[in-house]
C-alpha cells in the first residue's frame, strides 16, 4: 500500500538508489523486477532530484520495490526503509542460494 503523503511522482533518484542499496540490488535487478529497461533506470538514476519519467514508469519502479519489502515514507522527510518481513525473506533466500 502506498502512503498518502508521498506521491508516487515525488520519488527521487536518491530514493531509488537508497532502496536498491537496502536490497543489495544492482540496476539490472531493478530492471528485471520492474519491467523498466536498464538504460532507462541508468538515465533516471544519473539525474539528481525528482525522476523525469512517465507516471507508469515511476509506478512500476515503486511496485517492484514494495513487492521486495521496501517502504517509501515521509516522516521528517522523504525516505525509504526495509520492512522486517523483507529482511527475513532475504536471509532465507541468501541461505538457500
Amino acid at each position: 500500500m502506498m502512503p498518502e503523503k508521498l506521491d508516487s511522482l515525488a520519488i527521487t533518484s536518491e530514493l531509488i538508489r537508497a532502496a536498491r542499496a537496502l536490497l543489495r540490488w544492482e540496476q539490472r535487478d531493478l530492471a528485471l523486477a520492474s519491467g523498466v529497461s536498464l538504460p532507462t533506470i541508468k538515465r533516471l538514476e544519473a539525474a539528481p532530484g525528482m525522476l523525469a519519467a512517465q507516471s507508469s514508469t515511476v509506478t512500476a519502479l515503486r511496485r517492484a520495490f514494495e513487492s521486495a519489502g521496501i517502504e517509501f515514507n515521509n516522516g521528517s522527510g522523504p525516505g525509504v526503509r526495509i520492512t522486517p518481513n523483507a529482511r527475513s525473506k532475504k536471509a532465507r533466500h541468501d541461505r538457500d542460494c
Side-chain angles (χ1 to χ4, degrees), residues 19-61:
R20 279 196 312 102
L22 285 170
L23 293 171
R24 296 184 178 169
W25 277 6
E26 299 291 331
Q27 290 175 328
R28 184 176 311 279
D29 299 315
L30 178 55
L32 290 171
S34 66
V36 174
S37 74
L38 182 57
T40 296
I41 290 170
K42 288 181 179 195
R43 178 183 58 80
L44 293 174
E45 285 192 8
M50 304 299 271
L51 296 181
Q54 295 183 3
S55 61
S56 60
T57 300
V58 177
T59 298
L61 294 171

